[in-house]
């Protein structure tokens, strides 16, 4: 079945540091890939997405590129801020079969001033 | 504001009690979902409904039932709560590749 493996946390960085959160996946067919963010006490919000190989999703300074050859969708940001502190989830869905999202376990990110 | 509304936000139950978690969306989405979130396990799908009048089991359906009352509402029922059902529950609906919209969650504790 489909699965998502993401970098275990927690991750603690200083403000303005470079961020990478690794995500790899296993799926049959051609999944769409997503990053969701969860701020404390809130539900999940879509951060960015990519629907086919070599697509780059971007939003709020975050980027991730759909790499079919390495089955990866790593999240990056060049300069993190305290407000980026949250839990980040990588997820996939195989729309040809259904719309169910399969999530990774989440990575808690803390940015210190 | 358009979105997904869940009630209640917090609930404490005793083992064996029953309760229903309510979810409503006002975005005219066909598909709705119930997930549970547990530490170190991400979100796991309990049940989903691809359209009004249909429901299907997800990854962890045991101990739960659902009702898709109409296009807007999708409720999750615990008939006899167990401590293993202590979790945060999220309802979501989807609009194609624009992705899921999640509710703010229900934090349930079973003692």
């Amino acid at each position: 079945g489909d699965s998502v493996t993401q970098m275990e946390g927690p991750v603690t960085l200083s403000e303005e540091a470079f961020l990478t959160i690794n995500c790899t996946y296993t799926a049959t067919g051609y999944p769409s890939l997503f990053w969701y963010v969860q701020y404390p006490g809130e539900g999940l919000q879509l951060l960015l997405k990519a629907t086919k190989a070599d697509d780059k999703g971007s939003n709020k300074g975050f980027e991730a590129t759909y790499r079919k050859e390495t089955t990866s969708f790593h999240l990056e940001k060049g300069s993190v801020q305290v407000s980026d502190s949250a839990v980040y989830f990588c997820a996939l869905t195989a729309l040809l079969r259904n719309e169910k999202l399969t999530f990774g376990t989440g990575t808690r990110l803390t940015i210190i001033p | 504001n358009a979105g997904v509304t869940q009630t209640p936000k917090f609930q404490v139950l005793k083992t064996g009690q029953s309760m229903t978690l309510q979810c409503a969306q006002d975005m005219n989405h066909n598909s709705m979902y119930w997930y549970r979130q547990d530490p170190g396990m991400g979100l796991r799908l309990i049940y989903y409904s691809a359209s009004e009048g249909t429901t299907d089991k997800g990854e962890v359906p045991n101990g739960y039932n659902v009702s898709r009352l109409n296009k807007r509402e999708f409720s999750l029922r615990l008939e006899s709560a167990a401590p293993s059902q202590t979790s945060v529950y999220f309802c979501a609906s989807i609009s194609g590749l624009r992705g899921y919209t999640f509710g703010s969650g229900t934090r349930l504790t079973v003692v």
Side-chain angles (χ1 to χ4, degrees):
Chain A
D2 300 341
S3 67
V4 176
T5 303
Q6 67 180 100
M7 179 175 171
E8 286 197 23
V11 174
T12 303
L13 295 173
S14 297
E15 203 165 21
E16 299 183 1
F18 184 86
L19 168 71
T20 300
I21 301 177
N22 291 336
C23 171
T24 58
Y25 67 90
T26 302
T28 55
Y30 302 94
S32 294
L33 303 174
F34 303 83
W35 277 100
Y36 282 83
V37 58
Q38 184 180 32
Y39 298 104
E42 298 183 13
L44 278 71
Q45 302 173 25
L46 178 65
L47 180 60
L48 54 83
K49 67 179 188 290
T51 58
K52 60 183 187 296
D54 300 324
D55 268 2
K56 177 184 283 188
S58 62
N59 186 25
K60 299 181 181 180
F62 291 90
E63 294 182 339
T65 300
Y66 189 145
R67 300 288 188 200
K68 197 170 192 311
E69 64 275 15
T70 55
T71 61
S72 64
F73 193 54
H74 305 319
L75 182 68
E76 297 182 334
K77 186 174 185 182
S79 177
V80 292
Q81 305 300 313
V82 172
S83 57
D84 294 326
S85 298
V87 181
Y88 293 81
F89 292 91
C90 187
L92 69 82
T93 186
L95 291 177
L96 291 179
R97 294 200 298 278
N98 53 60
E99 294 175 313
K100 292 181 286 185
L101 274 174
T102 299
F103 286 89
T105 54
T107 301
R108 181 175 299 278
L109 174 66
T110 302
I111 308 301
I112 54 178
Chain B
N1 290 337
V4 177
T5 303
Q6 287 183 237
T7 55
K9 292 191 181 302
F10 301 94
Q11 184 71 49
V12 179
L13 291 178
K14 294 182 179 178
T15 298
Q17 286 185 317
S18 63
M19 79 161 294
T20 299
L21 282 64
Q22 305 288 351
C23 174
Q25 53 93 6
D26 58 5
M27 297 170 287
N28 203 36
H29 291 168
N30 287 321
S31 299
M32 298 183 72
Y33 303 78
W34 276 105
Y35 287 87
R36 59 178 289 173
Q37 182 181 22
D38 301 293
M41 302 190 76
L43 278 78
R44 293 180 293 169
L45 182 64
I46 305 171
Y47 270 94
Y48 67 102
S49 171
S51 62
E52 184 180 351
T54 67
T55 61
D56 286 286
K57 295 178 180 179
E59 183 184 354
V60 288
N62 291 345
Y64 305 96
N65 285 300
V66 290
S67 295
R68 184 73 182 269
L69 304 170
N70 47 55
K71 194 170 186 179
R72 290 187 65 247
E73 299 173 290
F74 187 39
S75 61
L76 178 71
R77 182 160 179 84
L78 287 71
E79 291 291 352
S80 178
S84 61
Q85 294 178 304
T86 293
S87 187
V88 181
Y89 291 85
F90 288 100
C91 179
S93 66
I94 190 169
S95 175
L97 288 176
R98 287 195 289 279
Y100 281 33
T101 300
F102 283 85
S104 56
T106 296
R107 187 173 295 274
L108 175 67
T109 302
V110 182
V111 298

